Amino acid sequence: MIRVSTILSAGAWSEAPADTITLDREDRHRRRAVMTAAKGLTFLLDEPNAVHLHHGDGLKLEDGRIVEVLGADEDLVEIAADDMAHLVKISWHLGNRHLPTQLMGSVLRIRRDHVIEDMVIRLGGKLTVVSAPFDPEGGAYGHGQTQGHDHGHNHGHSHGHGHSHGHDHSHSHGHSHD
């Protein structure tokens, strides 16, 4: 099976792609996967560590062909504010909840979540529902994947949930942390 030899950053390549592959945010975070592109080209992504592929990245195959990565449209909400001070405050609250957030200059994008949307409105944010690719900011130091809190499960651990302590578990999956 043909393999990906190089991952080319969006904007760092200009040749016409041989094929495209459309993936949502989770499917763009991979270490090893057999992938099938839109025209049927099948190839192997096999990296030493998990990588996050971004909308517009190119997957250069061993034979030189490039497969363009496209982000699938997802149900998102764009957050705007009256001024940058309010947007920064809203950003702080989203980050305090470890919520994956796409930074887009004067607006932020998050996945739809009625609890978070209500919080943003209470903080003075203005919401616009959109369907678009989701490319949130990476984890600490600009790499990795951030994990958000899912409001549909019991945390199940005995300490308070102020974030003045360190803990390395994530809250985006549906099981309790006993």
Side-chain angles (χ1 to χ4, degrees):
M1 174 172 292
I2 193 160
R3 297 163 92 75
V4 174
S5 63
T6 308
I7 298 172
L8 306 169
S9 298
W13 58 281
S14 59
E15 47 270 52
D19 210 336
T20 61
I21 188 160
T22 303
L23 306 166
D24 68 15
R25 175 179 169 251
E26 275 74 30
D27 287 337
R28 284 184 281 126
H29 188 255
R30 292 279 178 243
R31 186 192 77 75
R32 180 179 169 88
V34 173
M35 300 179 152
T36 302
K39 296 177 188 173
L41 177 61
T42 300
F43 57 93
L44 176 65
L45 175 71
D46 187 15
E47 294 294 311
N49 297 303
V51 295
H52 182 77
L53 304 171
H54 297 277
H55 178 80
D57 282 354
L59 304 176
K60 188 169 187 174
L61 306 180
E62 293 169 317
D63 65 4
R65 292 181 291 174
I66 295 177
V67 176
E68 183 177 14
V69 175
L70 302 175
D73 285 348
E74 300 186 47
D75 292 329
L76 308 173
V77 63
E78 282 187 354
I79 302 167
D82 288 334
D83 55 44
M84 194 53 68
H86 280 100
L87 194 62
V88 167
K89 182 177 181 178
I90 292 166
S91 299
W92 184 89
H93 283 279
L94 298 175
N96 190 47
R97 285 157 181 79
H98 310 289
L99 195 72
T101 304
Q102 186 172 354
L103 310 176
M104 302 181 64
S106 62
V107 297
L108 307 170
R109 271 190 190 160
I110 61 171
R111 282 203 169 128
R112 298 290 320 262
D113 179 322
H114 71 280
V115 172
I116 299 299
E117 290 173 30
D118 182 61
M119 176 197 74
V120 168
I121 290 169
R122 291 173 187 260
L123 291 169
K126 296 168 181 58
L127 306 178
T128 304
V129 175
V130 299
S131 181
F134 187 45
D135 246 338
E137 190 70 13
Y141 309 106
H143 60 276
Q145 189 172 16
T146 57
Q147 301 295 326
H149 291 274
D150 182 337
H151 298 281
H153 74 281
N154 177 4
H155 290 285
H157 45 282
S158 60
H159 60 274
H161 219 106
H163 288 277
S164 60
H165 62 279
H167 59 278
D168 61 358
H169 56 273
S170 68
H171 297 281
S172 62
H173 44 271
H175 69 274
S176 64
H177 301 276
D178 294 325

